[in-house]
């Protein structure tokens, strides 16, 4: 861990590996920004990482959509933060946040999961970063390989055919969309960190 780097954590759950592929793409995107390091954390290992999460600049949350909402394992993580983060005095306040989800159907009610993650981030007083891409596949010239082919604004979406393994899906367009989200969050986190440092030195000079 480079102490001068801006740290972005990606906290995710994946039952069968598909959302893990999406999470890896988000982490790649974040780490592609100069001066940023990304850290992938599965909710299965979360108890080893509560202290780490207090010290990162941003957290990008991801879960598969199961029965129209985040998976129960991810919800278990969300509920645990009531005790480990919220009750300790809002330890995640003012960090940047963003979200991603993956499911089998084109829609599959993924929007409900992204909304759930956005509300969760707001409860922690975090700054929500949206996807920042126009809808990718809504005209005759676009294709299934277009970035943001599912047309989400709130976060990154991926679709994994139910009969295909995580070696094959999500498809490249969805992984590139996930990379874009990681890079966007990392850039904003960098800007905020630099802005805070600049303000502190102005204050010192005054
Ligand atoms: C319990 C359960 C519920 C599911 N519910 C949905 C759903 O509401 N919408 C959908 O599109 N896919 C649904 N799926 C399919 C998963 O979202 C899909 O297989 C996804 O790729 C799994 O990601 P994972 O491998 O990271 O767990 C469900 C799968 C499971 C196991």
């Amino acid at each position: 861990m480079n102490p001068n780097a801006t740290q972005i954590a990606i906290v995710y759950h994946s039952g069968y590996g598909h959302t893990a592929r999406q999470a890896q793409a988000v982490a790649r995107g974040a780490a592609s920004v100069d001066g940023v390091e990304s850290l992938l954390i599965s909710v299965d290992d979360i108890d080893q990482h509560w202290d780490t999460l207090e010290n990162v600049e941003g957290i990008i949350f991801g879960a598969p959509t199961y029965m129209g909402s985040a998976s129960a394992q991810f919800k278990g993580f969300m509920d645990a933060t009531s005790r480990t983060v919220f009750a300790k005095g809002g330890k995640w306040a003012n960090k940047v946040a963003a979200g991603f989800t993956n499911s089998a159907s084109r829609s599959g009610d993924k929007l409900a999961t992204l909304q759930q993650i956005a509300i969760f981030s707001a409860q922690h007083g975090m700054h929500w970063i949206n996807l920042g891409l126009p809808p990718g596949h809504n005209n005759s010239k676009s294709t299934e390989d277009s970035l943001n082919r599912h047309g989400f604004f709130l976060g990154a979406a991926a679709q994994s055919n139910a009969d295909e393994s995580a070696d094959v899906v999500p498809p490249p367009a969805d992984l590139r969309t996930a990379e874009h989200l990681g890079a966007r969050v990392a850039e904003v986190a960098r800007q905020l960190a630099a802005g805070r440092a600049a303000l502190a030195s102005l204050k010192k000079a005054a």
Side-chain angles (χ1 to χ4, degrees):
M1 217 187 228
N2 171 357
N4 298 320
T6 297
Q7 307 287 338
I8 301 290
I10 294 91
V11 177
Y12 72 98
H13 169 250
S14 181
Y16 307 92
H18 303 84
T19 314
R21 294 275 317 282
Q22 191 186 19
Q24 288 154 12
V26 172
R28 266 198 309 279
S32 73
V33 173
D34 261 358
V36 173
E37 283 183 357
S38 62
L39 176 65
L40 261 179
I41 301 173
S42 160
V43 296
D44 299 335
D45 306 321
I46 197 69
D47 284 337
Q48 299 158 39
H49 293 286
W50 293 117
D51 289 346
T52 312
L53 290 173
E54 283 185 18
N55 295 311
V56 299
E57 190 75 28
I59 311 177
I60 309 177
F61 303 102
T65 295
Y66 287 173
M67 301 311 293
S69 66
S71 59
Q73 291 88 336
F74 190 83
K75 183 64 167 72
F77 152 74
M78 289 169 65
D79 290 356
T81 66
S82 164
R83 178 177 47 82
T84 58
V85 181
F86 192 87
K88 280 174 75 184
K91 294 289 184 184
W92 292 354
N94 304 321
K95 295 182 189 300
V96 295
F100 60 93
T101 187
N102 160 72
S103 81
S105 301
R106 175 55 67 95
S107 159
D109 296 317
K110 285 190 257 279
L111 181 59
T113 302
L114 291 177
Q115 288 172 328
Q116 189 181 9
I117 295 173
I119 291 169
F120 167 71
S121 303
Q123 287 212 351
H124 282 293
M126 302 173 85
H127 301 304
W128 184 258
I129 311 296
N130 58 43
L131 181 60
L133 284 173
H137 190 20
N138 63 0
N139 60 56
S140 60
K141 290 173 195 70
S142 56
T143 72
E144 284 292 60
D145 198 41
S146 301
L147 216 54
N148 193 23
R149 67 186 178 119
H150 306 296
F152 281 80
F153 291 96
L154 199 55
Q159 183 262 330
S160 299
N161 289 333
D163 60 348
E164 290 187 314
S165 78
D167 299 337
V168 183
V169 286
D174 295 352
L175 297 179
R176 289 200 311 276
T177 303
E179 282 177 16
H180 170 90
L181 180 73
R184 176 171 165 82
V185 172
E187 272 161 19
V188 174
R190 258 326 246 175
Q191 288 160 359
L192 279 177
R196 269 199 291 269
L199 283 174
S201 60
L202 277 179
K203 215 169 165 184
K204 220 169 163 185

